[in-house]
Amino acid sequence: MANTPNQHQVKAKKHLGQHFLNDETIAQKIAATLTLKNYKTVLEIGPGMGVLTKYLLKKDITTHVIEIDTESVDYLKANYLNLASRIIEKDFLKYDLNQVFKGESFAIIGNFPYNISTQIVFKTLDMRDQIPEFSGMFQKEVAERICSKEGSKVYGILSVLAQAYYDAEYLFTVPPSVFNPPPKVESGVLRLTRKADYSLPCDDALFFKVVKTAFQQRRKTIRNSLKTFNLSDNLREDSIFDKRPEQLSVQQFIELTQLIEKDM
């Protein structure tokens, strides 16, 4: 992105996991991943110097950004005057977003810092009633994990929990060379689109607990990994308990949770 006169480049900070995207074509492609369906507002996480932001501002939506880096905030305020009132100077993971969004629906987008990217997904899942769409850039292997299906070696907690509520699409791969500083790995852009009916036919909190507990010992059968649930011998004889967690589809995890719910 070209500098405005008298505006210095923001220095990437390692402790914030910053890698600034400097390729306009890829920034446009990421902005274009938003379908603009079922929401009128978008929140960009970690805008940095606004390379993605400027393409969001061209769309027929209201763009907010959340940024913890004060140097980036100062840069954005100086260079994007029409955005200044919608810059949230907070930590996304700790901030109550409803102080801004008041219960309304909004999409999330961003070039996410690798060191907090999975936590961003978990917070999105917690706010799924308000977030119909989520797209952005992760470390490639994390993006692949979120979108992977049962039977894959990378299929895990994130895959099951995200895909229980959202349709997950891996969109494209981004090379390290388009960042400053370049990361040591490739990046991947994905989109999560909330399912038309995303209410589960089981207790959500129990579902999360079952999935997380099962994958903590992913090499063991479900029978062994869920020992702490103190399930009845009768239930533990069900053939689903012979499988390992990566063999179960999202639907089978829902069915497993239903079985456990009836057994408790």
Side-chain angles (χ1 to χ4, degrees):
M1 173 183 170
N3 278 351
T4 303
N6 302 321
Q7 292 301 325
H8 69 287
Q9 291 276 329
V10 176
K11 190 177 189 313
K13 295 160 192 70
K14 196 171 183 180
H15 72 281
L16 294 177
Q18 289 176 329
H19 295 274
F20 293 130
L21 180 66
N22 56 21
D23 185 298
E24 299 289 338
T25 304
I26 290 175
Q28 271 185 287
K29 275 183 77 176
I30 296 171
T33 63
L34 293 176
T35 66
L36 311 185
K37 293 176 183 172
N38 303 317
Y39 57 87
K40 295 177 181 176
T41 307
V42 63
L43 175 65
E44 182 188 359
I45 299 172
M49 288 181 283
V51 65
L52 172 59
T53 316
K54 68 168 165 286
Y55 294 108
L56 299 175
L57 291 170
K58 292 176 181 177
K59 294 181 177 293
D60 189 23
I61 48 171
T62 302
T63 298
H64 290 74
V65 301
I66 186 163
E67 177 61 73
I68 196 172
D69 178 25
T70 53
E71 194 184 7
S72 290
V73 169
D74 290 344
Y75 184 95
L76 292 168
K77 284 180 176 177
N79 289 277
Y80 296 91
L81 301 179
N82 58 342
L83 179 70
S85 64
R86 299 190 306 280
I87 299 172
I88 307 165
E89 299 178 52
K90 299 288 182 181
D91 180 338
F92 172 80
L93 296 178
K94 297 175 182 174
Y95 183 62
D96 176 8
L97 293 169
N98 277 317
Q99 291 193 40
V100 173
F101 297 109
K102 315 291 186 192
E104 71 168 303
S105 292
F106 61 97
I108 282 181
I109 195 167
N111 168 25
F112 305 123
Y114 289 165
N115 55 349
I116 62 164
S117 61
T118 57
Q119 293 161 277
I120 289 171
V121 176
F122 282 123
K123 181 162 181 175
T124 298
L125 294 177
D126 287 342
M127 297 189 71
R128 57 190 175 274
D129 289 338
Q130 283 175 258
I131 303 174
E133 191 168 77
F134 172 105
S135 66
M137 186 148 48
F138 292 80
Q139 186 171 331
K140 184 184 178 187
E141 65 178 40
V142 176
E144 288 176 335
R145 186 182 310 143
I146 292 168
C147 300
S148 66
K149 298 296 183 187
E150 70 273 13
S152 162
K153 286 181 179 178
V154 297
Y155 181 72
I157 294 170
L158 267 182
S159 326
V160 177
L161 297 182
Q163 292 175 45
Y165 305 102
Y166 292 84
D167 293 320
E169 304 166 82
Y170 185 96
L171 300 175
F172 56 91
T173 300
V174 179
S177 57
V178 299
F179 296 94
N180 181 33
K184 294 178 181 174
V185 292
E186 289 186 312
S187 300
V189 175
L190 62 76
R191 177 171 55 220
L192 300 178
T193 307
R194 193 176 60 196
K195 294 180 176 180
D197 180 9
Y198 62 96
S199 59
L200 301 188
C202 63
D203 180 79
D204 292 274
L206 182 60
F207 175 71
F208 271 62
K209 187 180 177 185
V210 167
V211 173
K212 288 180 176 180
T213 307
F215 278 105
Q216 277 167 2
Q217 302 183 73
R218 63 181 298 137
R219 295 181 183 278
K220 294 188 175 182
T221 64
I222 298 290
R223 185 176 292 110
N224 287 323
S225 61
L226 297 188
K227 269 184 178 175
T228 55
F229 281 75
N230 295 319
L231 303 171
S232 68
D233 291 339
N234 188 43
L235 177 58
R236 283 160 52 83
E237 289 309 309
D238 190 295
S239 60
I240 199 168
F241 285 86
D242 295 330
K243 295 180 181 288
R244 293 192 307 280
E246 70 263 23
Q247 295 175 298
L248 296 190
S249 65
V250 173
Q251 181 57 36
Q252 285 175 306
F253 266 109
I254 292 170
E255 290 165 3
L256 174 62
T257 305
Q258 289 174 314
L259 290 171
I260 292 171
E261 223 169 345
K262 288 175 186 172
D263 194 64
M264 295 173 88

